[in-house]
């Protein structure tokens, strides 16, 4: 039996609503060894989740970074698609971080949805741009998000929503299964294997994707703060984790188990073919042209 999150527990206590039981699916793992649910299509009643979180007063901050060429390449499509699929029916506050605020085009937002553009410094190396997001997110939760939102979700910008990404994804601490690794044996997971790095782990539970993570503002603050600290410690020791912030995120989730895990339906790469377990595409990787983006 999987453990339910606090929102579900409260409703269960109040109404003893048995419909909140997550269904199982025979073809995939739907529960971790520590009894956290892994959310797949077919396991939940979407309308019920919408109702519960509205009743609970959940509200979601979405953080996304569009620095340098990533702004023109991805931001508009990301935001427009999010307006069609991300947490519809709940209040959503976008936090867009960029080095060029004047270049952010205004987009049409639904009711109860707002967008803030916040200027950030542009680090020279893409690895630093990626890693330093942890610091910016943590600071913004402290100064702003925690006063306005119950939950935070953090996304890479090089993706497009193509299906519902709803409140069934909300929990205290939410991790994303990496599309390329969820069916591979653990020994192939690309954790950081350098004992000198703070991100070093010998083994783990899953390989999580840093392109999507979230949770309550409190848990995301703890996560981003811890990852930032480890990243800075590595810098002082002149080491860098194999996959940067993703390596640190995987270390963090090994020690602090996520309370909810999203199936790869929530961050899929369509170059992977013939997967009958993927019943719906909710968020897709956008095409990447690294040679143009990272020079
Ligand atoms: N990013 C950015 N500008 C850059 C590099 C990275 O805005 O020059 C942000 C952007 O949100 C991007 C994220 O950092 O999605 C992570 O980098 P990237 O997507 O290139 O990493 P990958 O998905 O290839 O591991
Ligand atoms: Mn990316």
């Amino acid at each position: 039996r999987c453990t339910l999150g606090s929102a579900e527990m409260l409703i269960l206590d109040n109404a003893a609503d048995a419909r909140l039981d997550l269904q199982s699916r025979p073809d995939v793992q739907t529960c971790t060894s520590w009894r956290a649910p892994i959310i797949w299509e077919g396991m939940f009643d979407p309308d019920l989740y919408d109702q519960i979180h509205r009743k609970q007063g959940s509200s979601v901050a979405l953080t996304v970074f569009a620095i340098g060429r990533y702004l023109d390449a991805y931001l508009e499509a990301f935001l427009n698609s999010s307006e069609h699929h991300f947490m519809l029916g709940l209040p959503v506050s976008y936090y867009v971080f960029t080095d060029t605020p004047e270049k952010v085009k205004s987009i049409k937002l639904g009711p109860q949805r707002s967008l803030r553009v916040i200027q950030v410094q542009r680090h020279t190396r893409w690895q630093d741009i990626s890693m330093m997001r942890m610091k910016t997110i943590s600071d913004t939760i402290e100064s702003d998000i925690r006063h306005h939102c119950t939950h935070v979700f953090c996304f890479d910008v090089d993706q497009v929503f193509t299906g519902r990404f709803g409140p069934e994804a909300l929990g205290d601490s939410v991790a994303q299964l990496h599309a390329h690794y969820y069916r591979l044996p653990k020994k192939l997971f690309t954790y950081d294997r350098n004992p000198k790095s703070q991100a070093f782990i010998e083994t783990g539970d899953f390989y999580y994707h840093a392109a999507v993570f979230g949770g309550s503002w409190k848990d995301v603050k703890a996560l981003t703060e811890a990852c930032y600290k480890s990243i800075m410690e590595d810098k002082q020791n002149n080491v860098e984790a194999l996959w940067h912030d993703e390596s640190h995120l995987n270390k963090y989730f090994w020690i602090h188990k996520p309370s909810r895990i999203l199936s790869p339906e929530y961050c899929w790469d369509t170059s992977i073919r013939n997967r009958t377990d993927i019943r719906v595409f909710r968020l897709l990787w956008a095409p990447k042209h690294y040679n143009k983006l990272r020079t």
Side-chain angles (χ1 to χ4, degrees), residues 9-171:
M9 288 313 281
L10 207 111
I11 300 291
L12 278 176
D13 289 348
N14 288 347
D17 195 331
R19 290 176 303 165
L20 269 168
D21 271 354
L22 288 161
Q23 305 292 306
S24 199
R25 257 178 60 173
D27 56 334
V28 289
Q29 186 184 348
T30 56
C31 193
T32 68
S33 59
W34 61 96
R35 305 202 317 156
I38 308 175
I39 309 298
W40 291 84
E41 172 68 3
M43 288 174 62
F44 59 92
D45 175 347
D47 297 334
L48 203 60
Y49 269 91
D50 290 348
Q51 279 172 36
I52 289 163
H53 279 276
R54 267 206 293 272
K55 209 148 135 193
Q56 285 277 301
S58 300
S59 54
V60 188
L62 182 161
T63 70
V64 67
F65 290 71
I67 292 168
R69 296 186 195 164
Y70 281 61
L71 195 155
D72 283 335
Y74 300 115
L75 184 65
E76 203 178 355
F78 175 86
L79 290 172
N80 280 326
S81 68
S82 160
E83 276 300 284
H84 288 106
H85 302 290
F86 182 74
M87 304 291 165
L88 302 184
L90 290 186
V92 170
S93 308
Y94 295 101
Y95 291 81
V96 175
F97 301 97
T98 179
D99 55 328
T100 53
E102 69 283 357
K103 280 175 64 182
V104 178
K105 297 199 185 99
S106 76
I107 66 151
K108 204 172 143 17
L109 297 175
Q112 288 199 293
R113 300 170 81 94
S114 64
L115 185 148
R116 281 192 54 192
V117 182
I118 298 172
Q119 183 158 19
V120 290
Q121 182 196 342
R122 176 178 184 172
H123 294 277
T124 333
R125 300 171 59 242
W126 61 264
Q127 296 90 335
D128 286 326
I129 293 180
S130 190
M131 289 192 293
M132 289 309 173
R133 292 184 292 176
M134 292 296 185
K135 166 78 171 149
T136 306
I137 294 167
S138 156
D139 286 352
T140 310
I141 292 172
E142 181 58 28
S143 65
D144 189 311
I145 291 172
R146 71 192 185 96
H147 304 294
H148 302 115
C149 299
T150 57
H151 292 80
V152 188
F153 253 94
C154 310
F155 289 95
D156 268 16
V157 74
D158 55 340
Q159 339 191 57
V160 195
F161 292 92
T162 54
R164 174 193 167 95
F165 197 119
E168 73 279 1
L170 296 176

Side-chain angles (χ1 to χ4, degrees), residues 257-273:
K257 306 291 189 211
S259 66
R260 207 170 183 84
I261 295 183
L262 303 179
S263 72
E265 296 165 337
Y266 286 82
C267 188
W268 187 245
D269 178 0
T270 50
S271 75
I272 307 170
R273 301 282 173 188

Side-chain angles (χ1 to χ4, degrees), residues 198-257:
Q198 296 299 312
F200 169 78
I201 40 178
E202 276 171 290
T203 184
D205 303 298
F206 300 97
Y207 192 76
Y208 302 115
H209 194 177
V212 178
F213 61 91
S216 67
W217 69 258
K218 259 203 175 121
D219 282 39
V220 178
K221 170 119 166 60
L223 178 158
T224 48
E225 214 169 61
C227 287
Y228 174 65
K229 280 202 180 122
S230 307
I231 288 165
M232 292 315 280
E233 213 160 309
D234 274 5
K235 283 191 180 296
Q236 281 182 346
N237 296 327
N238 251 308
V239 287
E240 192 162 86
L242 180 63
W243 286 109
H244 319 105
D245 43 308
E246 186 163 271
S247 304
H248 292 276
L249 184 85
N250 272 281
K251 165 84 177 270
Y252 186 87
F253 278 140
W254 167 237
I255 297 168
H256 309 269
K257 306 291 189 211

